[in-house]
Amino acid sequence: MRYVLEACVDSVQSAIEAEKGGAQRVELCANLIIGGTSPGASLFRQVRKNTDLQIRVLLRPRFGDFCYDEYEFEMMKEDVAMYRDLGVDGIVTGILKTDGTLDIKRMKELIEIAGDTDVALHRAFDVCRNPQEVLEQAVSLGIKTILTSGQKNSAWEGRDLIKELVTQSAGRIEILAGAGISPEVIEKLIPYTGTASYHMSGKEILDSRMKFRKEGVSMGLPGFSEYEIWQTKVESIRRAVEVLERAIEK
């Protein structure tokens, strides 16, 4: 069994810290604080320039559900083509129909545009109607990975479904456990679920470099400080890698 540790990052510095910690792969996005949205090409180029990591790019045109209108879908198709041409290692995306089933027609279009680029199904999977059915559809579409919390708020809470999916997949598709992942959680999930693939941000909250601070002005979500920076912490990634390496050696 080989392990995979994928770091979810939304800045160049976070990607650098993830690589220092021993992550093999990053899922690159923007706006992690709201679950991630599609990043810009300049962020991809800078991560490629400053690291040797495998890079998968999240394609999610907006915050919210995974049922997209025609304008959003056209944006997604353009982004797939752009990142394919930029040499990304993988695309991470997902589209659902209004009834909670996988939008196979649109997913197939994105996969065809991606060409030889790997495609992963993100946590749209965690709000689909029938995860067992969607797993089989993902396999038939040639999707390489399903990122999942087991349809719960954290992978530990969803461990029973993750275990079931690992069994059902029978090695045909990577089951990548994500949400609430820490070194301590990985240590418990490996023997319980049988998966050795994990997705984590390993973030810490850093204080802003700003000396002057204008209080009482919010630029976005209420309750979030404008003077906090969320960044991947090398120590968290390193400890997770150590847990995985010990587990694989057993």
Side-chain angles (χ1 to χ4, degrees):
M1 181 190 294
R2 68 180 187 89
Y3 74 84
V4 173
L5 186 69
E6 176 181 275
C8 188
V9 303
D10 61 1
S11 71
V12 179
Q13 191 61 53
S14 284
I16 290 170
E17 296 300 309
E19 184 174 45
K20 287 179 182 176
Q24 304 106 313
R25 190 170 76 199
V26 290
E27 181 195 281
L28 190 62
C29 64
N31 304 308
L32 256 179
I33 200 168
I34 54 171
T37 55
S38 304
S42 58
L43 177 56
F44 168 79
R45 284 192 289 262
Q46 286 299 313
V47 172
R48 180 66 89 203
K49 177 182 177 182
N50 289 283
T51 76
D52 292 318
L53 290 161
Q54 293 181 44
I55 305 173
R56 287 182 170 181
V57 170
L58 175 68
L59 290 188
R60 184 186 181 203
R62 57 160 171 78
F63 170 77
D65 65 37
F66 303 105
C67 184
Y68 299 116
D69 64 27
E70 284 301 320
Y71 306 110
E72 292 163 335
F73 184 53
E74 288 301 316
M75 290 167 59
M76 294 172 80
K77 289 195 290 184
E78 283 192 29
D79 280 346
V80 171
M82 176 182 71
Y83 279 111
R84 177 202 64 208
D85 293 344
L86 285 171
V88 76
D89 296 294
I91 300 295
V92 184
T93 195
I95 306 176
L96 299 179
K97 293 183 177 180
T98 57
D99 63 358
T101 59
L102 188 68
D103 192 330
I104 295 174
K105 180 176 180 295
R106 282 179 160 185
M107 288 295 295
K108 190 173 182 180
E109 283 190 60
L110 296 183
I111 291 165
E112 287 173 351
I113 294 168
D116 294 333
T117 304
D118 286 352
V119 176
L121 176 59
H122 63 31
R123 290 188 64 211
F125 181 85
D126 284 326
V127 291
C128 75
R129 180 184 294 272
N130 186 329
Q132 291 81 10
E133 178 183 58
V134 171
L135 184 151
E136 294 302 330
Q137 291 168 336
V139 169
S140 68
L141 286 168
I143 290 171
K144 302 296 185 183
T145 300
I146 294 174
L147 170 62
T148 180
S149 63
Q151 297 205 322
K152 299 290 185 181
N153 284 328
S154 74
W156 180 246
E157 292 176 85
R159 61 191 180 277
D160 288 331
L161 178 57
I162 294 173
K163 180 179 182 180
E164 181 183 338
L165 295 170
V166 169
T167 300
Q168 181 185 344
S169 68
R172 295 174 297 157
I173 191 168
E174 178 186 45
I175 303 300
L176 180 64
I181 297 296
S182 66
E184 295 75 21
V185 170
I186 291 174
E187 199 157 24
K188 295 187 292 184
L189 281 174
I190 290 173
Y192 192 89
T193 66
T195 188
S197 296
Y198 292 91
H199 168 99
M200 65 184 289
S201 66
K203 61 182 176 294
E204 62 179 334
I205 300 176
L206 303 178
D207 195 41
S208 167
R209 293 187 294 271
M210 288 293 297
K211 303 298 183 186
F212 172 76
R213 302 190 179 192
K214 183 71 174 179
E215 301 299 334
V217 181
S218 176
M219 299 295 168
L221 294 172
F224 287 93
S225 170
E226 305 299 335
Y227 300 104
E228 292 179 351
I229 308 297
W230 291 25
Q231 184 175 293
T232 296
K233 185 177 182 181
V234 64
E235 290 83 2
S236 295
I237 300 296
R238 185 174 291 128
R239 286 194 296 117
V241 168
E242 288 169 356
V243 169
L244 284 161
E245 287 177 342
R246 285 199 305 271
I248 300 308
E249 288 171 1
K250 289 180 180 178

